[in-house]
Amino acid sequence: MRVKHKLKKNDTVVVIAGKDRGRQGRILRILPGSHRVIIERVNLIKRHTRPNPSKNIAGGISEREAAIHISNVMLVDPDRNVRTRIARRRDNEGNPERVAKKSGAVLA
């Protein structure tokens, strides 16, 4: 069974559990099959890469973002800058829109 997540790419979220609790970032990617998200500059890991001259890879140690479970993040309200839940409603023309529950602000 497939679960539909309310978070979207480029949403600003805050981490609510784990080693990076309290850090904010923008969602770069959503992995719906494993219920995980990749957030900009959050949950950084060190990746050891072997040099490969044929593919122009220098090699060495690089830092990159690892996935974090979607239940450990919450959307940041664009008006109040606090974490909030997401509601769905229809606008005047009948089109669906996402709304922050704390302030009622429409999310892009």
Side-chain angles (χ1 to χ4, degrees):
M1 187 169 92
R2 192 159 167 124
V3 178
K4 183 165 171 128
H5 300 295
K6 296 180 178 182
L7 294 173
K8 306 280 185 202
K9 184 178 176 179
N10 291 327
D11 278 349
T12 303
V13 293
V14 62
V15 179
I16 60 172
K19 66 174 186 156
D20 291 319
R21 180 176 44 225
R23 297 196 51 196
Q24 286 189 11
R26 189 172 51 91
I27 294 180
L28 299 175
R29 241 176 108 198
I30 296 183
L31 309 169
S34 57
H35 309 290
R36 293 180 167 270
V37 292
I38 296 177
I39 304 169
E40 186 176 40
R41 305 299 298 161
V42 174
N43 196 22
L44 293 174
I45 59 169
K46 293 198 185 292
R47 176 82 178 165
H48 293 71
T49 308
R50 180 182 301 220
N52 189 344
S54 64
K55 293 184 181 176
N56 254 350
I57 298 174
I61 302 172
S62 62
E63 273 194 331
R64 65 180 228 193
E65 296 92 358
I68 186 170
H69 200 271
I70 203 162
S71 67
N72 293 332
V73 299
M74 279 186 83
L75 183 80
V76 173
D77 192 325
D79 286 352
R80 297 185 184 175
N81 203 26
V82 293
R83 63 188 196 183
T84 183
R85 294 192 306 269
I86 303 168
R88 293 182 64 86
R89 71 173 181 212
R90 301 219 174 239
D91 62 3
N92 295 334
E93 289 110 34
N95 299 322
E97 60 186 8
R98 296 187 313 146
V99 179
K101 283 205 171 189
K102 288 224 173 150
S103 67
V106 177
L107 304 170

